Amino acid sequence: MKKINDVSLIDGYIKKFGIEEIFEREILKSLELFEFCQGELIYAPGEDIEYFYFLVKGKLKILFNLSNGKRLLLRFSNPFSIIGDVEVPGKLKVKTEISPIDNAH
C-alpha cells in the first residue's frame, strides 16, 4: 500500500464521484488516497475492520475462503464502490479476502 499525497487528485475524485454530497467538509479534509498493487491484500479474513475505503480506480476481487480450503469468488468491484462496513469499524472481523486485480486507488 502506498499513500499518494496529491490534494488535486483527491479533490478530483471527490468531485467525480460526488463524495462532497455524502460527507461534511471536515470529513472530506481527512480523506486520504492509497494505491494497492495487484495481489496485495486490502482485507484478509480474520482481520479487524478498522477503516473503509472508496474504490475510485481499478478493479477488486472479493473472495470467500470455504472450510474445504477452496476459495469462492463472490464478485468483482468497480469504481465507485465502498469497501468495508461503514457502521461497524472495529466491531467485526473481515470474512472475505479483498485485493486489487489491477492498479486501484
Side-chain angles (χ1 to χ4, degrees), residues 7-9 39 47 50 58 66 73 75 90 92 103-105:
V7 175
S8 64
L9 188 57
E47 290 182 343
E50 295 184 24
L66 301 172
L73 176 64
R75 72 175 190 273
L92 292 179
N103 265 358
H105 289 101

Side-chain angles (χ1 to χ4, degrees), residues 78-94:
N78 295 299
F80 178 69
S81 299
I82 294 176
I83 308 302
D85 291 318
V86 177
E87 309 85 11
V88 291
K91 296 182 182 174
L92 292 179
K93 299 283 186 191
V94 175

Side-chain angles (χ1 to χ4, degrees), residues 17-70:
F17 296 109
I19 299 171
E20 74 278 358
E21 297 173 19
I22 301 170
F23 296 106
E24 295 180 12
R25 183 176 298 172
E26 290 304 313
I27 292 175
L28 294 175
K29 290 179 185 177
S30 66
L31 294 180
E32 298 176 311
L33 186 62
F34 293 93
E35 181 176 9
F36 293 87
C37 296
Q38 184 173 343
E40 182 178 6
L41 293 181
I42 297 171
Y43 284 122
E47 290 182 343
D48 290 329
I49 298 175
E50 295 184 24
Y51 303 99
F52 64 95
Y53 299 95
F54 297 104
L55 176 63
V56 295
K57 181 181 175 187
K59 191 173 183 180
L60 299 175
K61 63 181 174 182
I62 295 93
L63 301 167
F64 184 77
N65 293 328
L66 301 172
S67 59
N68 64 4
K70 294 185 180 185

